[in-house]
Amino acid sequence: MPLFGSTFSPKKTPPRKCASLSNLHLLDRSTRETDLGLEYGVPTMNLAGQSLRFENGQWVAESGSFKGERREMQRLRRQNQQLEEENNLLRLKVDILLDMVS
């Protein structure tokens, strides 16, 4: 029995097989979609009884939705714009004050 060395020597692991035995990665996207049924359609969601769908990078209301809430949306947009302008003004004032201090 050795004092300082270990007689344990693990066996070498066999080489791994190919990561994927499937040839699906060789197919182009349209072929995979038609063969495997990967056409999901337009994403839709329902929030508080109002239906929205995702088109061209934006959420769009389904027809008939949000008709009664247009005034509130316009009011919120105006309020948002006012707050952004106020925020920009305050940032400008902070920049000016920092320039005066330094």
Side-chain angles (χ1 to χ4, degrees):
M1 179 188 247
L3 288 175
F4 297 109
S6 174
T7 59
F8 176 75
S9 60
K11 295 180 183 178
K12 286 191 173 184
T13 57
R16 293 185 179 209
K17 293 182 180 177
C18 181
S20 174
L21 298 176
S22 171
N23 63 354
L24 292 176
H25 64 281
L26 298 175
L27 299 174
D28 61 320
R29 181 177 180 208
S30 60
T31 308
R32 278 185 288 189
E33 286 178 354
T34 55
D35 289 349
L36 302 175
L38 296 177
E39 293 183 30
Y40 299 116
V42 178
T44 59
M45 81 171 145
N46 198 3
L47 288 174
Q50 295 164 346
S51 180
L52 301 167
R53 69 177 180 269
F54 193 74
E55 289 182 357
N56 299 327
Q58 292 185 349
W59 287 100
V60 179
E62 294 277 334
S63 61
S65 297
F66 293 118
K67 285 186 178 178
E69 298 179 5
R70 285 188 187 215
R71 285 187 196 148
E72 181 160 353
M73 286 176 54
Q74 289 174 349
R75 183 185 64 81
L76 289 173
R77 282 188 184 134
R78 273 188 263 121
Q79 184 181 6
N80 188 23
Q81 186 176 5
Q82 288 174 350
L83 290 173
E84 286 177 358
E85 289 173 0
E86 182 181 351
N87 192 15
N88 289 339
L89 179 67
L90 292 173
R91 283 184 185 175
L92 181 65
K93 287 182 178 182
V94 167
D95 287 342
I96 291 172
L97 287 173
L98 287 175
D99 286 344
M100 291 172 68
V101 168
S102 62

